[in-house]
Amino acid sequence: SGDTLFIMGCGRVFEGTMAQMHASLQKLTSLPDDTKIYCGHEYALRNTEFLLSIAPENEGIKERYKEFLALRQENLPTIPITIGEEKQTNLFLQAKTAEDFASLRKQRDRY
């Protein structure tokens, strides 16, 4: 997925627009749920901590955080993950509009 989709996050928008990044993420959500995602960096814990900071009541995000923490404590990767798993808890993929996405991305940039 290059620098577009990361586990529980997405890439920064250095080139192009927020709308273009949102559209790219939406294309990824059309893949079959069992499609494996191999992102370029191991950011799962930090991204999940951010999502918990804005959605602390989200049980799915809490569970994923526990899973990722256990993996990393064993020095195991969180990668790969499936697009189906990401669609359930990655709030960047759940953003309905480019404006919603941009707001979330800007919050993550400041986190």
Side-chain angles (χ1 to χ4, degrees):
S1 64
D3 285 339
T4 300
L5 178 63
F6 294 101
I7 295 176
M8 301 299 277
C10 70
R12 291 183 182 216
V13 180
F14 292 117
E15 297 176 356
T17 66
M18 293 286 185
Q20 289 171 322
M21 177 64 95
H22 180 253
S24 293
L25 290 170
Q26 292 304 298
K27 285 181 186 177
L28 293 174
T29 65
S30 69
L31 295 169
D33 283 350
D34 63 349
T35 301
K36 290 185 180 180
I37 302 296
Y38 291 85
C39 51
H41 302 281
E42 180 64 75
Y43 296 150
L45 281 177
R46 185 72 174 154
N47 286 341
T48 308
E49 289 166 355
F50 164 70
L51 293 180
L52 282 172
S53 77
I54 62 169
E57 74 293 339
N58 187 308
E59 292 300 323
I61 295 173
K62 287 180 190 178
E63 283 303 311
R64 301 249 349 248
Y65 184 72
K66 290 176 191 174
E67 292 169 21
F68 297 148
L69 191 57
L71 286 169
R72 297 307 298 144
Q73 287 175 340
E74 294 294 322
N75 204 31
L76 296 171
T78 60
I79 303 163
I81 198 98
T82 66
I83 194 68
E85 292 171 298
E86 282 297 287
K87 288 191 299 190
Q88 292 175 20
T89 51
N90 184 330
L91 300 183
F92 291 95
L93 292 180
Q94 295 174 9
K96 299 291 183 208
T97 68
E99 292 78 20
D100 292 342
F101 167 77
S103 175
L104 187 60
R105 182 63 250 182
K106 288 175 185 173
Q107 289 178 67
R108 177 62 177 97
D109 290 345
R110 293 187 301 267
Y111 183 77

